[in-house]
Amino acid sequence: KIGLLEVTMVRVGSPGYYDAAKLAAFLGETPNARIIEITLGSDLLAYAIVFLDDTRMHAWALGYDRDRPLAFSPYYLMWGSFMRLGYELGLPVLEAGRRNGAFKMRHGLLPQELNAYVVDA
């Protein structure tokens, strides 16, 4: 599954961003992480990692197959799946990550200022 994430990161200029072992360990210790998969038969077309809490869903990582000749876009299907899950869960905030801003703004999302906090763990 990480293969789709790796291919996407190479495409956006961040090769090697995900380390499979570290990612698996991180997700194994993150109870609010969820995976959304888009499949066609036994083929994985798109894969997203999202985080949930009581008020929001945050799309953290996404990989998709854009080389397969299909009559639809796995990216658009993942976008719809993400939005549908957030609505079904009744979450007031859906955060869609930091890339592809023009696409997200066309679909009604607005840029938000982010704050980061670092603590010793």
Side-chain angles (χ1 to χ4, degrees):
K1 293 177 185 178
I2 193 163
L4 288 178
L5 296 177
E6 290 171 336
V7 169
T8 299
M9 293 313 296
V10 167
R11 188 173 54 248
V12 299
S14 297
Y17 186 80
Y18 294 107
D19 175 277
K22 289 178 182 177
L23 181 59
F26 172 70
L27 293 175
E29 296 181 18
T30 309
N32 65 340
R34 299 292 183 270
I35 305 298
I36 302 173
E37 293 182 347
I38 305 295
T39 59
L40 181 62
S42 62
D43 296 332
L44 183 64
L45 300 181
Y47 174 85
I49 300 169
V50 301
F51 297 113
L52 301 170
D53 64 28
D54 293 338
T55 62
R56 75 184 57 91
M57 180 170 60
H58 174 76
W60 182 64
L62 166 70
Y64 67 100
D65 184 347
R66 69 189 281 176
D67 297 325
R68 179 188 302 251
L70 297 167
F72 62 92
S73 165
Y75 185 83
Y76 275 82
L77 191 53
M78 179 58 76
W79 173 255
S81 298
F82 167 75
M83 298 297 285
R84 182 175 51 246
L85 178 59
Y87 292 136
E88 287 173 357
L89 294 172
L91 298 172
V93 177
L94 304 177
E95 297 173 345
R98 68 187 191 285
R99 296 211 179 255
N100 208 356
F103 172 88
K104 293 170 187 167
M105 289 177 67
R106 266 196 325 270
H107 291 87
L109 276 78
L110 301 172
Q112 300 292 313
E113 180 178 326
L114 298 175
N115 295 307
Y117 302 92
V118 179
V119 297
D120 292 332

